[in-house]
PDB file of all heavy atoms in Angstrom:
ATOM      1  N   GLY A 193     324.556 111.988  77.776  1.00 92.00           N
ATOM      2  CA  GLY A 193     324.033 112.033  79.020  1.00 92.00           C
ATOM      3  C   GLY A 193     324.449 111.030  80.104  1.00 92.00           C
ATOM      4  O   GLY A 193     323.975 110.945  81.118  1.00 92.00           O
ATOM      5  N   LEU A 194     325.521 110.228  79.662  1.00 95.00           N
ATOM      6  CA  LEU A 194     325.951 109.189  80.685  1.00 95.00           C
ATOM      7  C   LEU A 194     326.800 109.984  81.620  1.00 95.00           C
ATOM      8  O   LEU A 194     327.524 110.904  81.284  1.00 95.00           O
ATOM      9  CB  LEU A 194     326.846 108.210  79.906  1.00 95.00           C
ATOM     10  CG  LEU A 194     326.195 107.343  78.839  1.00 95.00           C
ATOM     11  CD1 LEU A 194     327.151 106.467  78.191  1.00 95.00           C
ATOM     12  CD2 LEU A 194     325.112 106.446  79.609  1.00 95.00           C
ATOM     13  N   THR A 195     326.742 109.622  82.952  1.00 97.00           N
ATOM     14  CA  THR A 195     327.535 110.333  83.904  1.00 97.00           C
ATOM     15  C   THR A 195     328.306 109.390  84.829  1.00 97.00           C
ATOM     16  O   THR A 195     328.002 108.274  84.912  1.00 97.00           O
ATOM     17  CB  THR A 195     326.475 111.118  84.859  1.00 97.00           C
ATOM     18  OG1 THR A 195     325.643 110.116  85.472  1.00 97.00           O
ATOM     19  CG2 THR A 195     325.621 112.099  84.099  1.00 97.00           C
ATOM     20  N   THR A 196     329.345 109.994  85.406  1.00 96.00           N
ATOM     21  CA  THR A 196     330.120 109.271  86.415  1.00 96.00           C
ATOM     22  C   THR A 196     330.698 110.210  87.445  1.00 96.00           C
ATOM     23  O   THR A 196     330.811 111.482  86.993  1.00 96.00           O
ATOM     24  CB  THR A 196     331.103 108.433  85.780  1.00 96.00           C
ATOM     25  OG1 THR A 196     331.627 107.504  86.780  1.00 96.00           O
ATOM     26  CG2 THR A 196     332.327 109.214  85.240  1.00 96.00           C
ATOM     27  N   TYR A 197     331.066 109.820  88.591  1.00 97.00           N
ATOM     28  CA  TYR A 197     331.497 110.692  89.603  1.00 97.00           C
ATOM     29  C   TYR A 197     332.842 110.188  90.228  1.00 97.00           C
ATOM     30  O   TYR A 197     333.013 108.968  90.389  1.00 97.00           O
ATOM     31  CB  TYR A 197     330.429 110.898  90.673  1.00 97.00           C
ATOM     32  CG  TYR A 197     329.137 111.475  90.179  1.00 97.00           C
ATOM     33  CD1 TYR A 197     328.226 110.681  89.572  1.00 97.00           C
ATOM     34  CD2 TYR A 197     328.886 112.761  90.167  1.00 97.00           C
ATOM     35  CE1 TYR A 197     327.057 111.078  89.064  1.00 97.00           C
ATOM     36  CE2 TYR A 197     327.774 113.331  89.511  1.00 97.00           C
ATOM     37  CZ  TYR A 197     326.799 112.516  89.053  1.00 97.00           C
ATOM     38  OH  TYR A 197     325.663 113.091  88.528  1.00 97.00           O
ATOM     39  N   THR A 198     333.627 110.989  90.843  1.00 97.00           N
ATOM     40  CA  THR A 198     334.747 110.564  91.724  1.00 97.00           C
ATOM     41  C   THR A 198     334.042 110.047  92.948  1.00 97.00           C
ATOM     42  O   THR A 198     333.013 110.537  93.393  1.00 97.00           O
ATOM     43  CB  THR A 198     335.730 111.717  91.900  1.00 97.00           C
ATOM     44  OG1 THR A 198     336.865 111.091  92.438  1.00 97.00           O
ATOM     45  CG2 THR A 198     335.240 112.779  92.838  1.00 97.00           C
ATOM     46  N   ALA A 199     334.711 109.115  93.558  1.00 97.00           N
ATOM     47  CA  ALA A 199     334.139 108.421  94.824  1.00 97.00           C
ATOM     48  C   ALA A 199     333.735 109.430  95.917  1.00 97.00           C
ATOM     49  O   ALA A 199     332.704 109.247  96.544  1.00 97.00           O
ATOM     50  CB  ALA A 199     335.145 107.363  95.295  1.00 97.00           C
ATOM     51  N   SER A 200     334.570 110.403  96.093  1.00 97.00           N
ATOM     52  CA  SER A 200     334.333 111.209  97.273  1.00 97.00           C
ATOM     53  C   SER A 200     333.047 112.124  97.200  1.00 97.00           C
ATOM     54  O   SER A 200     332.571 112.644  98.134  1.00 97.00           O
ATOM     55  CB  SER A 200     335.535 112.162  97.493  1.00 97.00           C
ATOM     56  OG  SER A 200     335.672 113.032  96.425  1.00 97.00           O
ATOM     57  N   VAL A 201     332.458 112.201  96.024  1.00 98.00           N
ATOM     58  CA  VAL A 201     331.213 112.952  95.809  1.00 98.00           C
ATOM     59  C   VAL A 201     330.034 112.178  95.495  1.00 98.00           C
ATOM     60  O   VAL A 201     328.944 112.765  95.385  1.00 98.00           O
ATOM     61  CB  VAL A 201     331.496 114.177  94.756  1.00 98.00           C
ATOM     62  CG1 VAL A 201     332.689 114.923  95.179  1.00 98.00           C
ATOM     63  CG2 VAL A 201     331.478 113.649  93.354  1.00 98.00           C
ATOM     64  N   LYS A 202     330.286 110.902  95.190  1.00 97.00           N
ATOM     65  CA  LYS A 202     329.113 110.073  94.736  1.00 97.00           C
ATOM     66  C   LYS A 202     328.018 110.058  95.775  1.00 97.00           C
ATOM     67  O   LYS A 202     328.267 109.870  96.904  1.00 97.00           O
ATOM     68  CB  LYS A 202     329.691 108.666  94.475  1.00 97.00           C
ATOM     69  CG  LYS A 202     328.751 107.916  93.633  1.00 97.00           C
ATOM     70  CD  LYS A 202     329.476 106.586  93.206  1.00 97.00           C
ATOM     71  CE  LYS A 202     330.594 106.828  92.323  1.00 97.00           C
ATOM     72  NZ  LYS A 202     331.235 105.564  91.813  1.00 97.00           N
ATOM     73  N   GLY A 203     326.783 110.334  95.263  1.00 97.00           N
ATOM     74  CA  GLY A 203     325.629 110.384  96.202  1.00 97.00           C
ATOM     75  C   GLY A 203     325.390 111.778  96.750  1.00 97.00           C
ATOM     76  O   GLY A 203     324.326 111.985  97.331  1.00 97.00           O
ATOM     77  N   ARG A 204     326.359 112.679  96.565  1.00 98.00           N
ATOM     78  CA  ARG A 204     326.170 114.053  97.084  1.00 98.00           C
ATOM     79  C   ARG A 204     325.995 115.047  96.034  1.00 98.00           C
ATOM     80  O   ARG A 204     325.330 116.049  96.099  1.00 98.00           O
ATOM     81  CB  ARG A 204     327.236 114.394  97.977  1.00 98.00           C
ATOM     82  CG  ARG A 204     327.465 113.598  99.213  1.00 98.00           C
ATOM     83  CD  ARG A 204     328.436 114.154 100.103  1.00 98.00           C
ATOM     84  NE  ARG A 204     329.801 114.209  99.674  1.00 98.00           N
ATOM     85  CZ  ARG A 204     330.538 115.365  99.455  1.00 98.00           C
ATOM     86  NH1 ARG A 204     330.058 116.435 100.022  1.00 98.00           N
ATOM     87  NH2 ARG A 204     331.810 115.258  98.969  1.00 98.00           N
ATOM     88  N   PHE A 205     326.663 114.869  94.953  1.00 98.00           N
ATOM     89  CA  PHE A 205     326.806 115.704  93.694  1.00 98.00           C
ATOM     90  C   PHE A 205     325.931 115.129  92.554  1.00 98.00           C
ATOM     91  O   PHE A 205     326.050 113.921  92.325  1.00 98.00           O
ATOM     92  CB  PHE A 205     328.275 115.997  93.310  1.00 98.00           C
ATOM     93  CG  PHE A 205     329.065 116.787  94.243  1.00 98.00           C
ATOM     94  CD1 PHE A 205     328.555 117.171  95.584  1.00 98.00           C
ATOM     95  CD2 PHE A 205     330.267 117.356  93.839  1.00 98.00           C
ATOM     96  CE1 PHE A 205     329.419 117.869  96.432  1.00 98.00           C
ATOM     97  CE2 PHE A 205     331.013 118.090  94.690  1.00 98.00           C
ATOM     98  CZ  PHE A 205     330.614 118.420  95.989  1.00 98.00           C
ATOM     99  N   THR A 206     325.453 116.019  91.751  1.00 98.00           N
ATOM    100  CA  THR A 206     324.743 115.615  90.495  1.00 98.00           C
ATOM    101  C   THR A 206     325.091 116.470  89.389  1.00 98.00           C
ATOM    102  O   THR A 206     324.966 117.720  89.507  1.00 98.00           O
ATOM    103  CB  THR A 206     323.196 115.632  90.687  1.00 98.00           C
ATOM    104  OG1 THR A 206     322.840 114.740  91.786  1.00 98.00           O
ATOM    105  CG2 THR A 206     322.552 115.105  89.442  1.00 98.00           C
ATOM    106  N   ILE A 207     325.564 115.900  88.279  1.00 98.00           N
ATOM    107  CA  ILE A 207     325.930 116.749  87.137  1.00 98.00           C
ATOM    108  C   ILE A 207     324.844 116.505  86.064  1.00 98.00           C
ATOM    109  O   ILE A 207     324.178 115.463  86.020  1.00 98.00           O
ATOM    110  CB  ILE A 207     327.335 116.171  86.502  1.00 98.00           C
ATOM    111  CG1 ILE A 207     327.775 117.103  85.308  1.00 98.00           C
ATOM    112  CG2 ILE A 207     327.248 114.737  86.021  1.00 98.00           C
ATOM    113  CD1 ILE A 207     329.180 116.872  84.843  1.00 98.00           C
ATOM    114  N   SER A 208     324.562 117.632  85.404  1.00 96.00           N
ATOM    115  CA  SER A 208     323.500 117.580  84.417  1.00 96.00           C
ATOM    116  C   SER A 208     323.766 118.616  83.361  1.00 96.00           C
ATOM    117  O   SER A 208     324.549 119.559  83.667  1.00 96.00           O
ATOM    118  CB  SER A 208     322.105 117.781  85.075  1.00 96.00           C
ATOM    119  OG  SER A 208     322.041 119.083  85.676  1.00 96.00           O
ATOM    120  N   LYS A 209     323.009 118.532  82.315  1.00 92.00           N
ATOM    121  CA  LYS A 209     323.164 119.670  81.247  1.00 92.00           C
ATOM    122  C   LYS A 209     321.875 119.848  80.472  1.00 92.00           C
ATOM    123  O   LYS A 209     321.168 118.794  80.210  1.00 92.00           O
ATOM    124  CB  LYS A 209     324.199 119.380  80.230  1.00 92.00           C
ATOM    125  CG  LYS A 209     324.168 118.070  79.502  1.00 92.00           C
ATOM    126  CD  LYS A 209     325.389 117.913  78.478  1.00 92.00           C
ATOM    127  CE  LYS A 209     325.194 116.576  77.681  1.00 92.00           C
ATOM    128  NZ  LYS A 209     326.215 116.449  76.706  1.00 92.00           N
ATOM    129  N   ASP A 210     321.437 121.097  80.438  1.00 87.00           N
ATOM    130  CA  ASP A 210     320.275 121.424  79.705  1.00 87.00           C
ATOM    131  C   ASP A 210     320.344 122.962  79.367  1.00 87.00           C
ATOM    132  O   ASP A 210     320.124 123.729  80.197  1.00 87.00           O
ATOM    133  CB  ASP A 210     319.028 121.260  80.498  1.00 87.00           C
ATOM    134  CG  ASP A 210     317.779 121.557  79.829  1.00 87.00           C
ATOM    135  OD1 ASP A 210     317.840 121.766  78.646  1.00 87.00           O
ATOM    136  OD2 ASP A 210     316.628 121.531  80.469  1.00 87.00           O
ATOM    137  N   ASN A 211     320.873 123.223  78.193  1.00 85.00           N
ATOM    138  CA  ASN A 211     321.175 124.608  77.742  1.00 85.00           C
ATOM    139  C   ASN A 211     322.152 125.118  78.808  1.00 85.00           C
ATOM    140  O   ASN A 211     322.232 126.356  79.013  1.00 85.00           O
ATOM    141  CB  ASN A 211     320.007 125.405  77.771  1.00 85.00           C
ATOM    142  CG  ASN A 211     319.096 125.110  76.635  1.00 85.00           C
ATOM    143  OD1 ASN A 211     319.671 124.976  75.482  1.00 85.00           O
ATOM    144  ND2 ASN A 211     317.785 125.144  76.757  1.00 85.00           N
ATOM    145  N   GLY A 212     323.025 124.379  79.342  1.00 91.00           N
ATOM    146  CA  GLY A 212     324.161 124.744  80.261  1.00 91.00           C
ATOM    147  C   GLY A 212     324.567 123.411  81.050  1.00 91.00           C
ATOM    148  O   GLY A 212     323.988 122.396  80.869  1.00 91.00           O
ATOM    149  N   LEU A 213     325.716 123.592  81.585  1.00 94.00           N
ATOM    150  CA  LEU A 213     326.231 122.513  82.416  1.00 94.00           C
ATOM    151  C   LEU A 213     326.028 122.815  83.936  1.00 94.00           C
ATOM    152  O   LEU A 213     326.314 124.046  84.339  1.00 94.00           O
ATOM    153  CB  LEU A 213     327.613 122.206  82.141  1.00 94.00           C
ATOM    154  CG  LEU A 213     328.370 121.099  82.961  1.00 94.00           C
ATOM    155  CD1 LEU A 213     327.835 119.802  82.413  1.00 94.00           C
ATOM    156  CD2 LEU A 213     329.882 121.188  82.822  1.00 94.00           C
TER     157      LEU A 213
END
Side-chain angles (χ1 to χ4, degrees):
L194 297 176
T195 61
T196 193
Y197 301 88
T198 193
S200 63
V201 308
K202 199 170 293 185
R204 300 189 297 123
F205 291 10
T206 302
I207 189 172
S208 63
K209 58 177 181 176
D210 183 10
N211 290 322
L213 179 70

